[in-house]
Amino acid sequence: MHRSLRFYTIALVLAAIAMPPAPAWAARHNKTEATQAPKKPAKVKVKRQRSSSAETPAERDRRLLRECKGLPNAGACLGYASR
């Protein structure tokens, strides 16, 4: 009697592991989709405004060309020393 009880217990455990309850998983998946918060709208890209005292890109190019003459082509002068 002990052997048959042990055999049926092992067979039941193996069957429970081998066949997960698919409807229960599907119901859980649908429930989590329904309870999730709605998606947030896309972030608005904020355009940065320059200070009135800041130099323009053209002014910066001219300044770097002037300041980097004869200096090593590195750091802030990268690309401006060889012109």
Side-chain angles (χ1 to χ4, degrees):
M1 170 118 171
H2 249 357
R3 287 185 184 192
S4 63
L5 181 61
R6 193 177 299 168
F7 173 75
Y8 287 122
T9 305
I10 292 173
L12 183 63
V13 168
L14 290 176
I17 292 172
M19 297 183 299
W25 287 104
R28 180 183 289 171
H29 181 68
N30 291 338
K31 187 187 300 184
T32 56
E33 284 181 357
T35 58
Q36 287 179 347
K39 291 185 178 180
K40 294 180 181 180
K43 290 185 178 182
V44 177
K45 199 170 190 178
V46 178
K47 192 172 183 180
R48 222 175 125 219
Q49 292 182 349
R50 283 204 179 111
S51 168
S52 61
S53 63
E55 63 184 354
T56 64
E59 290 171 337
R60 180 178 185 275
D61 282 341
R62 278 186 255 128
R63 178 180 57 81
L64 287 173
L65 282 171
R66 181 179 67 245
E67 292 177 358
C68 292
K69 282 184 182 173
L71 295 177
N73 194 21
C77 292
L78 185 63
Y80 289 98
S82 60
R83 287 186 185 181

